Structure formats: structure tokens, C-alpha cells
Amino acid sequence: MKLRFTGLAAWWVQRVSAVYMLLFIVFLLAAFSLYPRHSYSEWRTWVSSPGMTIAVSAFFAALLSHMWVGLRDVLLDYARPASLRRLLLGILAAGLLATAAWVVRILMRLHA
């Protein structure tokens, strides 16, 4: 039996990632309004704290998985023929993986 990322599992990924992203953005807006950071060193210290690093990493994981499911569904519905669909899905996967690597690199440089 093939394990595929479709149907109910994809629906849950979309919903859970959307809720997390919404909550994280509300948290950021509250944090910015209650405790504004005025200098680069304040920003860096805040973002490089372990809790914020985990929250930012989870945000980008949610964002990239949300993008994958949504764009994958669009390509599966509208990209014809199948060879073009596979090519576009590969390009999309490579782009999202490159973005994930870039985010990891940025977050790792905060701790250097």
C-alpha cells in the first residue's frame, strides 16, 4: 500500500498549519506592541532565545507545509500532461526545500 499525502491528512496539515501561523502572528503583534525592540541587538537577543527560535522554526515549517499542500493541489488539478505536472512538482519541492535550508541557515547564524 502506498503512503500518500492526500485527502484527510492534507486537510489536517492545511488547517493545523493555518491555525499555528495565525496564533504566531497574533503573538508577534502583541509582543511588538507591548515590548517594542528599538535596536538590532535587542532584536537579535530576542529572536535567538531558545523559545523564539523554536517558535520561528515551527512557523516556517507550518508555512512551507501549508504552501506545499496548497500548491500541490493546484498543480494536481490544473497541470496537464502528467509529465509537466511531475516537473512542476519537482521544481516546487526543490524551491521549498531551498527555502527551508535558507531559514535553517539564518537561524543557525543567530546562535554563532
Side-chain angles (χ1 to χ4, degrees):
M1 181 171 156
K2 273 181 135 177
L3 181 61
R4 294 179 52 180
F5 198 52
T6 59
L8 186 61
W11 185 87
W12 274 108
V13 168
Q14 284 284 129
R15 291 346 175 243
V16 170
S17 63
V19 168
Y20 180 79
M21 289 186 295
L22 175 66
L23 293 174
F24 184 75
I25 290 170
V26 168
F27 164 74
L28 283 181
L29 291 173
F32 293 156
S33 63
L34 295 174
Y35 306 105
R37 276 96 185 149
H38 298 290
S39 69
Y40 173 75
S41 62
E42 289 176 1
W43 275 87
R44 185 178 174 118
T45 302
W46 182 59
V47 174
S48 65
S49 67
M52 267 314 285
T53 300
I54 291 169
V56 169
S57 299
F59 174 80
F60 279 102
L63 177 66
L64 293 172
S65 63
H66 192 89
M67 289 171 62
W68 168 253
V69 172
L71 293 172
R72 182 206 60 157
D73 287 349
V74 169
L75 290 175
L76 290 176
D77 288 343
Y78 297 108
R80 302 278 187 254
S83 58
L84 175 63
R85 182 183 318 128
R86 282 191 297 274
L87 173 68
L88 293 174
L89 285 171
I91 291 169
L92 174 62
L96 293 177
L97 286 173
T99 303
W102 185 41
V103 168
V104 167
R105 181 176 177 254
I106 290 169
L107 290 174
M108 294 305 235
R109 288 182 68 194
L110 285 173
H111 296 284

